[in-house]
Amino acid sequence: MTTLRPFTCDDLFKFNNVNFDPLTETYGLSFYTQYLAKWPEYFQLAESPSEHIMGYIMGKVEGHMDNWHGHVTALTVSPDYRRLGLAALLMNFLEDISEKKRAYFVDLFVRKSNKVAINMYTNLGYIIYRTILEYYSGDQDEDAYDMRKALSRDVNKKSVIPYTQPITMRELRHQLRHDGC
Amino acid sequence: MAQQGMDSALFERRLRPVYDNLEVGNNRKALQESEKLLRKHPNLLCARALKGLSLLRLGRYEESHGCLQVVAQEKPIDDSTLQVLSFCYREMEQLDKIVELYQHAVKQNPGNEELLAHLFVSHVRVEDYKAQQAVALQLYKAQPKNAYYFWSVISVVFQGIRGPESAIPEKRKLYLALAQRMVDKHIKEGKMETEQEAFLYLHILKLQNKHQEAWEFLTGELCAKLYPGAPVSMKFELLKELGNWKALNELLQQLLEADRDRWDYYKEYLQSCFELIKSTPTTEEGTPNDTLNSCHKFLLHIIESSTRKTRGPYLARLDLHKRMRAIQLPAKELVGDFDDLIIEYFVLFGDKSCCTHDIALFLPSISMEQRQALANKLLAESGISSTSLPQTKEHMQKHICALQISRMCGVHIELSVDHLLAFYTALKLHYEHGYSSFGTQLLSTEMGPSDPYALLAANVMYDISFREQKSDQLFEALCLLQYVLRNSTSNFHVKLLSLKIYHMFGCMLGAQEMYDYLDIKQIQLDSMGYVHCNLLPLSGRFSGVRTCYDSTLKFFTNSYKERLEYIALTYRFCTFSKMEEFMNFKERLTNSLLYVACSVEAQLCDLVSCYGNVQQNLTAYVTMSIEPADDRIAWNELSDNRDLEAIIRWDPLHLVDAEAARKESYDQEIEVLQIRSLLLRLFASFIDLYHAPPTAKLDMSNSKTPLEPPVEDTATIELLRESWTGLHQRLRLMNYKPLSQQFLVNLLPTRLHLLLELPYERFFDDLAQFVLDLYAGAPQLAMQCKRMSENVVAVMELCVQTITESNEWNSKDGLWKRRSHQQKVAACLEILSLYAFLLSVLNDKLQASAKTKTKKKPTGDNKTQDTPQIISEKERSQMLQELMRQLKHKLEACDSALRSWKPPNLPRELSSFMADMSLKPEVEATLIGDVSATFKESHEVMVTELRNLIKDKIRIVGK
């Protein structure tokens, strides 16, 4: 039971119940404002009937040519509103917007250890496209999976042919620059 | 100038080291590099600008200013120089100078797109919409890009809705009509290209209440092509404005068929139904009419045809029930019995933790009796009694939900203390059972499924503590929470409640630990600052809390610097839908009450705890650049950014009015800020009278009359002193009530009553008189000295007496009053510390002037006095010395009291705490040991810090 609406600046003052979650990062303001200014429709919030923030999704659309794709930067659901299919709802929304923007696929990065999330994305039709070595830095660096789902524009499902070799952060950065991301 | 264009690559290479050094913060080296470069190329403007920036960063403002002025006068046009200069002006908040800068550059280089774009943004920063419009049109002429065209459109819109003329309805109309014509023309020429442009057009139509036109555009071909992602809520909004409830109703039915769990759709759908019955008269008395009938049927249809159970249609049905009852329609006949519906909902969704919030939505619509009866039905339905335990995690969650609802219905509040204690024991057992049955295999990032029992238990224990005005039950709850936290390290609810309890008991160390554990950062520092940072002033520590102010202030100053660039970003990406939102956000952030309050407290804290010699302290004071005569706080703009909802509660709905509590506490916080900022300014005016601010000081060194600052200085003191007593008078008349402490989650009392109770008003009022008399050498000085020494005795006695009282309390209850005792002692020491600082400054001045002049004829104030006898400087100096001696003596008395201050006695025997829990003995031992050690250590750290503070003060007045 959800209201979906665009995330607004004022929500930044109210999202603590979601952001206190240990897997949710609170970024600097410039990060949020950049997303809000550049891809406003990609930053959506789910609100409960009691007007609590249940979760939100933050993403963007970018890339050249057949690499034009939607990307999920952050997806988070408050502990009080888990197991209600909210993440799927938010992902659907982002995929829908990406379809409307004629993107070829949607991708996201996830911690290799985050079994719950990987499982969920797999159920939503995402495949593990490749592994990115030491993508997450911390006390112990952690690899990321780059997961993807093709959209209708990618008729031949070219974007989701998995990449067998893991890639390093350097390669990834180089590639992103090349793809105009 | 000529050489600049010639070899820009070469110069860029030479400038590089300066940039690099600035980037890493090596400002001194940057300065040297820029000077080196200037020796070779004295006309290289960019190097001079960079020198200006380096000086600015080094805090050498005057030199920097001179340097930048020279560059600006040259009217530079090269991008790098302009960038550096505008950077400097941004840092100095001289935004209008950036405008000038680019105006000159554009004049010399008309039609230059880049310069024009910079000029445009410089207007954006100062919110000059008219100028924005003109520049945007110039830009469009120079380079016919859509972005520029729409920049001019939005600038026209803003003139109509935000600019200085927006208050005049005719002007507003005119601007909006113009904006619409501009877009109409563009559409006609087939030039509209993006969704944000389409959004803007819709927005302009809506602002003019042209809903029909907006509807036609929104549902038209062009919009479908450009703006396929237009939120469907825009359609709702327009249909509502147009009163087309039937179309809205049909649209929503369609949408709901596809998306069966959207509350926003159901809400609009139900509204449309009720609007429809308003327009068609009821067919028969007492029977629900067709519309509601079909509404109900539709909801049933959704329920019956869904394979997966979603909360949506069930909640919508409850809402239908509620709405019908609200207008005396027979809800029961159409929809069924309310309790039955709730129970059905509970049976279906009680295993989800959001079920409590859902059911709570409908509780206010029924009577207290019905609420409590319903709560009992839910408890019975959960199937857990005093003799049974939940068999599954889902079963347990249902029980938790039923318990939370009963609390909200006011069931607990009516129980006796014995009952509550038994209830607490049951909750504790349920927690432990749930933990051992379902909670041991969790990831470290998950919350324990039985944690809510413990949270509820803590609230229940507070109820008892509050009723008995004793700390022991709450202390036990704290131990329980700390135990839960070991099992469930990521449960932030537990951390927030523990933080609250630590503060309530004055245990700063424990509070700080919980705060660090929460990892509050960035914007959370603002929205959550109320749980910790805002409680720190006068908590019993001074220098110890400074780091917390610092990290909070750092966030604010950084975002203050960046605030305008966020808005510029929306222009860059032409995100018209976000511009107003960003502007409002900027206001909210820069006017945060916490920001202002925290700045004031940090300054007071610095003045209280400065520990150098007089000269060092004065230098520190000068860098704070307080302007006593100037009230810099925009009182009417202050903003309440607290996220009070972040702390979960299930308190009886009929006893909690969140909005009223927010307003009440906010009003008091503003008053506290009034007192504190005035205290700061008043105190600064005392210092300034003797130690005039730097600019005035420069003049003085020429005039050779060091003790003769401008006349206004005494006037400032007089004025501020009047405000000071006036403010206190008003506050006493206002008769604010202390914030209710009925529930654990309520906000702690503000400092307002503490500040009024302690002798702040009188002390600083008398101090003002003393400073003025001393300055003038007025005959009543001796009397005023006597008053001051009486004041000091009173404050000292209050301090000593409070500590004695605290020690006495310690034998019956070491915690319940701890916080208020600590606050009083801190306030006394704050007063005496400020006084000590002032005396040392006054003494320093009198000594210095005695050295430079053998005899000095003081001027006194302008009033002609009947008794022109003026007390000589020597005598004044002696009186001052006497006051210092007396203060030293009283500080020593405070110190010896502090030494005797006992650490809190913790309630009850610790070992019996967790007797009924199946804790491993070693866990129990370390847990309780840790909690009590935190209390003891916190006290010791505080006492050490306060004693050090006193030691410093004794030293500065002891010389």
Side-chain angles (χ1 to χ4, degrees):
Chain A
M1 193 56 168
T2 312
T3 297
L4 268 191
R5 61 166 178 83
F7 192 100
T8 68
C9 290
D10 274 350
D11 293 316
L12 292 168
F13 293 112
K14 298 188 295 191
F15 67 5
N16 291 299
N17 250 315
V18 181
N19 274 41
F20 274 133
D21 178 75
L23 287 174
T24 305
E25 182 61 38
T26 301
Y27 299 100
L29 281 184
S30 55
F31 192 72
Y32 296 112
T33 48
Q34 196 196 340
Y35 273 81
L36 286 169
K38 214 166 165 181
W39 303 283
E41 62 279 25
Y42 268 85
F43 203 162
Q44 291 285 326
L45 174 136
E47 198 176 64
S48 76
S50 49
E51 288 170 17
H52 289 105
I53 299 180
M54 306 162 82
Y56 57 85
I57 195 165
M58 195 177 168
K60 56 184 169 181
V61 61
E62 60 185 8
H64 286 320
M65 314 291 287
D66 59 356
N67 193 45
W68 174 248
H69 69 283
H71 174 77
V72 183
T73 304
L75 168 63
T76 175
V77 173
S78 145
D80 271 357
Y81 297 95
R82 300 221 171 123
R83 283 178 280 275
L84 297 168
L86 204 58
L89 184 78
L90 290 164
M91 288 297 287
N92 278 339
F93 186 91
L94 188 134
E95 287 162 19
D96 202 39
I97 276 284
S98 302
E99 284 281 2
K100 286 179 178 150
K101 298 212 175 249
R102 310 279 295 129
Y104 285 88
F105 62 92
V106 170
D107 73 354
L108 56 93
F109 297 148
V110 59
R111 280 176 194 273
K112 229 173 156 173
S113 63
N114 195 346
K115 297 259 159 49
V116 184
I118 295 166
N119 201 13
M120 180 196 77
Y121 291 126
T122 311
N123 285 336
L124 293 174
Y126 285 74
I127 59 126
I128 296 171
Y129 175 67
R130 61 184 170 184
T131 303
I132 298 148
L133 298 171
E134 295 173 354
Y135 179 78
Y136 295 100
S137 51
D139 293 341
Q140 243 181 338
D141 290 352
E142 193 179 339
D143 296 349
Y145 283 141
D146 176 354
M147 297 185 77
R148 279 190 181 187
K149 180 177 182 176
L151 296 180
S152 59
R153 193 176 179 186
D154 183 10
V155 182
N156 300 320
K157 308 289 168 218
K158 241 179 68 190
S159 63
V160 287
I161 303 167
Y163 210 81
T164 43
Q165 281 309 75
I167 67 162
T168 62
M169 280 298 287
R170 242 179 93 180
E171 288 166 313
L172 178 72
R173 266 196 290 268
H174 180 257
Q175 214 174 26
L176 289 178
R177 216 167 309 141
H178 179 255
D179 291 337
C181 297
Chain B
M1 293 282 294
Q3 61 180 16
Q4 283 194 337
M6 256 162 43
D7 218 343
S8 57
L10 175 74
F11 283 120
E12 204 172 301
R13 207 167 59 234
R14 298 233 165 117
L15 289 168
R16 189 70 358 231
V18 191
Y19 280 111
D20 290 345
N21 277 305
L22 281 169
E23 196 156 311
V24 297
N26 200 343
N27 304 322
R28 202 167 301 279
K29 191 90 174 66
L31 178 64
Q32 286 166 4
E33 292 285 344
S34 60
E35 281 173 336
K36 208 165 81 187
L37 204 56
L38 281 171
R39 272 195 293 276
K40 275 193 203 156
H41 310 279
N43 295 327
L44 188 55
L45 284 182
C46 190
R48 194 164 298 279
L50 283 168
K51 181 181 169 184
L53 178 58
S54 317
L55 288 165
L56 182 67
R57 289 273 176 85
L58 287 166
R60 288 156 67 175
Y61 302 113
E62 305 252 325
E63 292 165 78
S64 165
H65 181 71
C67 210
L68 295 174
Q69 195 135 359
V70 171
V71 185
Q73 274 160 1
E74 290 286 328
K75 305 197 172 35
I77 50 161
D78 69 296
D79 190 50
S80 36
T81 307
L82 288 168
Q83 295 265 4
V84 176
L85 275 186
S86 42
F87 194 87
C88 294
Y89 291 138
R90 254 161 60 192
E91 206 136 297
M92 294 184 290
E93 290 284 316
Q94 298 176 340
L95 302 172
D96 47 331
K97 288 215 171 146
I98 309 182
V99 175
E100 272 172 47
L101 203 61
Y102 280 102
Q103 270 169 344
H104 287 310
V106 164
K107 217 173 265 170
Q108 291 173 69
N109 220 334
N112 180 313
E113 186 185 356
E114 201 171 328
L115 290 176
L116 278 167
H118 278 297
L119 179 59
F120 180 81
V121 173
S122 70
H123 288 309
V124 167
R125 287 198 196 94
V126 294
E127 293 182 19
D128 184 346
Y129 308 122
K130 207 171 198 74
Q132 272 177 227
Q133 183 200 349
V135 177
L137 283 173
Q138 271 174 276
L139 265 167
Y140 188 65
K141 253 180 222 147
Q143 202 59 251
K145 290 181 186 167
N146 252 16
Y148 300 147
Y149 190 78
F150 282 93
W151 279 7
S152 73
V153 175
I154 191 83
S155 305
V156 174
V157 174
F158 284 153
Q159 285 175 75
I161 61 172
R162 289 184 83 103
E165 292 174 313
S166 60
I168 311 164
E170 300 80 43
K171 287 279 182 185
R172 179 187 154 99
K173 221 170 136 184
L174 230 52
Y175 281 119
L176 291 173
L178 171 62
Q180 188 190 338
R181 277 203 307 279
M182 289 169 80
V183 186
D184 281 336
K185 181 166 166 276
H186 221 59
I187 295 177
K188 225 174 262 164
E189 291 167 9
K191 289 191 200 156
M192 188 183 260
E193 284 169 357
T194 69
E195 55 181 45
Q196 284 291 326
E197 290 162 13
F199 168 87
L200 180 55
Y201 186 55
L202 281 166
H203 190 53
I204 295 169
L205 293 173
K206 281 193 276 180
L207 284 170
Q208 297 176 96
N209 293 324
K210 296 185 176 174
H211 304 298
Q212 187 58 37
E213 279 176 67
W215 175 257
E216 277 155 24
F217 180 74
L218 181 64
T219 51
E221 213 174 298
L222 183 62
C223 193
K225 192 180 126 215
L226 296 179
Y227 197 8
V232 64
S233 59
M234 277 192 179
K235 285 194 181 169
F236 305 161
E237 197 192 322
L238 288 174
L239 286 173
K240 282 202 266 187
E241 290 289 354
L242 292 167
N244 196 344
W245 301 105
K246 199 157 161 40
L248 180 62
N249 191 277
E250 282 158 16
L251 171 67
L252 283 159
Q253 288 204 21
Q254 276 171 30
L255 289 167
L256 281 168
E257 284 284 1
D259 238 335
R260 302 178 155 207
D261 204 25
R262 288 285 296 262
W263 176 247
D264 41 353
Y265 296 174
Y266 283 112
K267 219 166 54 179
E268 304 291 0
Y269 173 66
L270 288 172
Q271 196 198 343
S272 73
C273 292
F274 280 85
E275 290 293 339
L276 280 173
I277 37 173
K278 262 192 223 161
S279 50
T280 51
T282 335
T283 44
E284 225 177 88
E285 189 69 30
T287 56
N289 65 37
D290 294 346
T291 314
L292 292 184
N293 228 334
S294 57
C295 168
H296 184 235
K297 267 195 196 135
F298 175 71
L299 296 177
L300 283 180
H301 149 72
I302 298 266
I303 289 174
E304 280 153 17
S305 61
S306 304
T307 42
R308 189 167 163 257
K309 291 260 172 278
T310 52
R311 293 146 61 230
Y314 294 93
L315 278 180
R317 207 160 47 139
L318 282 164
D319 207 40
L320 172 64
H321 202 286
K322 182 175 121 182
R323 284 172 189 257
M324 285 182 73
R325 273 183 290 125
I327 50 169
Q328 280 84 42
L329 286 179
K332 192 169 175 178
E333 277 140 59
L334 179 69
V335 195
D337 181 61
F338 180 77
D339 285 11
D340 291 347
L341 289 175
I342 293 274
I343 290 167
E344 181 191 6
Y345 190 83
F346 178 73
V347 170
L348 286 170
F349 305 107
D351 59 341
K352 313 268 188 234
S353 52
C354 61
C355 186
T356 308
H357 299 301
D358 292 343
I359 292 179
L361 279 177
F362 302 100
L363 294 175
S365 75
I366 56 173
S367 71
M368 277 308 291
E369 293 76 32
Q370 201 186 343
R371 278 184 222 182
Q372 302 203 349
L374 180 63
N376 289 334
K377 285 186 197 169
L378 292 183
L379 260 182
E381 183 58 43
S382 78
I384 311 282
S385 66
S386 51
T387 52
S388 61
L389 287 167
Q391 297 308 306
T392 61
K393 207 156 94 176
E394 289 69 32
H395 193 186
M396 180 175 76
Q397 183 56 46
K398 272 194 177 161
H399 184 222
I400 290 172
C401 175
L403 290 174
Q404 291 170 341
I405 299 271
S406 356
R407 184 172 173 84
M408 287 178 155
C409 292
V411 176
H412 304 165
I413 205 77
E414 291 173 3
L415 297 176
S416 69
V417 168
D418 284 347
H419 271 91
L420 283 175
L421 274 173
F423 181 43
Y424 163 77
T425 308
L427 288 172
K428 211 165 59 165
L429 284 171
H430 274 297
Y431 167 73
E432 190 60 19
H433 168 260
Y435 169 64
S436 54
S437 312
F438 320 113
T440 50
Q441 304 291 320
L442 298 177
L443 298 171
S444 66
T445 50
E446 280 179 291
M447 289 192 194
S450 66
D451 292 2
Y453 283 121
L455 294 170
L456 205 53
N459 280 285
V460 170
M461 286 300 247
Y462 179 81
D463 295 343
I464 305 176
S465 269
F466 179 71
R467 220 180 281 179
E468 298 183 331
Q469 296 286 300
K470 266 160 63 185
S471 67
D472 45 358
Q473 313 299 353
L474 187 58
F475 183 77
E476 177 165 345
L478 176 65
C479 289
L480 175 68
L481 290 174
Q482 291 298 300
Y483 169 64
V484 174
L485 202 48
R486 294 187 176 197
N487 300 331
S488 179
T489 51
S490 68
N491 193 327
F492 63 89
H493 298 301
V494 176
K495 295 174 196 171
L496 285 167
L497 283 192
S498 303
L499 173 64
K500 171 74 196 285
I501 299 173
Y502 274 126
H503 267 297
M504 207 179 269
F505 288 159
C507 179
M508 300 296 295
L509 219 56
Q512 186 64 39
E513 195 187 323
M514 288 302 114
Y515 181 74
D516 293 341
Y517 208 174
L518 279 164
D519 194 22
I520 285 173
K521 58 186 167 195
Q522 302 294 346
I523 193 156
Q524 295 178 309
L525 290 165
D526 187 8
S527 59
M528 292 305 297
Y530 73 96
V531 296
H532 187 60
C533 195
N534 190 46
L535 300 175
L536 297 179
L538 297 184
S539 60
R541 306 269 305 269
F542 291 97
S543 50
V545 298
R546 196 61 178 79
T547 39
C548 190
Y549 298 154
D550 274 339
S551 52
T552 301
L553 288 173
K554 199 171 147 203
F555 161 75
F556 281 116
T557 42
N558 281 343
S559 40
Y560 188 77
K561 275 185 201 161
E562 290 171 13
R563 73 200 194 283
L564 297 164
E565 304 320 303
Y566 301 149
I567 297 170
L569 212 60
T570 58
Y571 280 94
R572 215 173 104 205
F573 298 117
C574 292
T575 318
F576 305 112
S577 60
K578 289 282 176 189
M579 283 176 184
E580 283 191 83
E581 186 185 316
F582 271 48
M583 288 189 235
N584 295 336
F585 178 63
K586 177 204 88 179
E587 296 296 324
R588 213 176 148 185
L589 200 59
T590 50
N591 292 315
S592 162
L593 173 64
L594 183 73
Y595 181 17
V596 183
C598 194
S599 323
V600 169
E601 291 299 341
Q603 289 187 315
L604 279 170
C605 180
D606 284 348
L607 290 177
V608 166
S609 44
C610 57
Y611 53 85
N613 62 34
V614 181
Q615 280 320 312
Q616 287 164 333
N617 292 345
L618 279 173
T619 312
Y621 165 77
V622 169
T623 54
M624 291 164 72
S625 59
I626 306 163
E627 299 263 358
D630 183 13
D631 186 358
R632 295 176 189 163
I633 299 173
W635 294 98
N636 293 323
E637 316 283 318
L638 290 175
S639 162
D640 182 359
N641 297 344
R642 296 173 297 173
D643 182 9
L644 296 178
E645 304 262 301
I647 306 181
I648 201 160
R649 72 189 308 165
W650 307 279
D651 296 322
L653 295 174
H654 66 293
L655 296 175
V656 176
D657 183 346
E659 269 324 295
R662 171 188 283 277
K663 185 175 179 308
E664 214 183 330
S665 64
Y666 185 67
D667 289 347
Q668 290 194 20
E669 291 293 355
I670 299 228
E671 304 289 21
V672 169
L673 178 62
Q674 293 257 19
I675 299 181
R676 303 294 278 175
S677 92
L678 202 50
L679 172 64
L680 181 68
R681 289 166 61 206
L682 182 63
F683 186 76
S685 74
F686 300 160
I687 305 270
D688 283 359
L689 185 63
Y690 285 85
H691 181 83
T695 41
K697 204 173 153 197
L698 271 175
D699 303 338
M700 267 164 33
S701 59
N702 302 330
S703 69
K704 290 179 184 177
T705 45
L707 261 178
E708 200 170 24
V711 190
E712 308 86 81
D713 279 15
T714 54
T716 305
I717 297 186
E718 299 274 15
L719 209 68
L720 288 172
R721 180 189 177 190
E722 237 166 75
S723 313
W724 176 252
T725 45
L727 173 66
H728 282 85
Q729 213 169 18
R730 179 176 68 78
L731 290 175
R732 285 180 213 288
L733 281 174
M734 293 287 288
N735 204 13
Y736 282 100
K737 300 272 170 303
L739 302 183
S740 159
Q741 298 298 303
Q742 192 178 8
F743 299 111
L744 176 58
V745 179
N746 288 9
L747 291 163
L748 280 170
T750 64
R751 279 169 292 141
L752 183 60
H753 296 87
L754 174 80
L755 294 173
L756 292 178
E757 184 196 332
L758 270 97
Y760 276 94
E761 181 190 359
R762 176 161 172 208
F763 193 98
F764 287 93
D765 183 28
D766 282 343
L767 192 54
Q769 189 58 51
F770 164 74
V771 167
L772 291 169
D773 289 347
L774 182 77
Y775 184 68
Q780 67 269 32
L781 179 61
M783 199 184 78
Q784 202 57 30
C785 283
K786 191 162 160 276
R787 286 185 85 135
M788 276 326 292
S789 63
E790 282 163 11
N791 277 319
V792 169
V793 170
V795 173
M796 177 278 288
E797 277 173 355
L798 183 59
C799 176
V800 173
Q801 190 193 328
T802 307
I803 292 173
T804 315
E805 201 182 306
S806 175
N807 284 340
E808 281 165 12
W809 263 88
N810 217 13
S811 54
K812 31 187 178 165
D813 188 336
L815 295 177
W816 193 249
K817 295 255 173 192
R818 182 72 38 175
R819 178 178 156 83
S820 95
H821 288 142
Q822 285 176 191
Q823 283 186 322
K824 274 191 194 168
V825 171
C828 291
L829 295 182
E830 177 178 87
I831 294 173
L832 294 182
S833 296
L834 289 173
Y835 179 59
F837 177 32
L838 179 67
L839 289 189
S840 75
V841 172
L842 300 183
N843 183 50
D844 184 62
K845 267 294 163 195
L846 287 181
Q847 299 281 328
S849 81
K851 262 181 218 160
T852 49
K853 286 184 193 166
T854 42
K855 205 182 171 201
K856 153 92 178 69
K857 208 172 174 240
T859 44
D861 52 26
N862 289 346
K863 288 176 223 153
T864 44
Q865 287 172 333
D866 296 335
T867 46
Q869 294 165 317
I870 280 165
I871 297 172
S872 78
E873 255 177 44
K874 195 171 163 216
E875 274 173 280
R876 285 189 241 173
S877 193
Q878 279 165 353
M879 289 180 185
L880 196 58
Q881 298 272 345
E882 182 47 41
L883 284 180
M884 286 168 74
R885 253 194 304 280
Q886 188 235 2
L887 176 60
K888 178 169 175 274
H889 188 66
K890 300 305 161 205
L891 284 170
E892 280 162 357
C894 290
D895 185 60
S896 88
L898 274 174
R899 239 180 318 162
S900 72
W901 201 356
K902 296 194 188 83
N905 256 342
L906 299 182
R908 290 214 289 162
E909 248 197 80
L910 289 173
S911 55
S912 69
F913 261 148
M914 307 241 163
D916 12 272
M917 298 187 68
S918 54
L919 291 184
K920 292 190 195 101
E922 66 269 23
V923 176
E924 192 178 333
T926 61
L927 172 79
I928 290 165
D930 287 355
V931 176
S932 42
T934 307
F935 274 86
K936 189 157 176 280
E937 200 188 334
S938 183
H939 177 81
E940 280 161 6
V941 170
M942 178 189 72
V943 168
T944 310
E945 201 186 275
L946 293 179
R947 289 194 60 203
N948 283 335
L949 180 79
I950 293 184
K951 206 161 82 191
D952 286 331
K953 301 307 151 200
I954 290 177
R955 188 173 42 77
I956 62 172
V957 295
K959 280 177 190 160

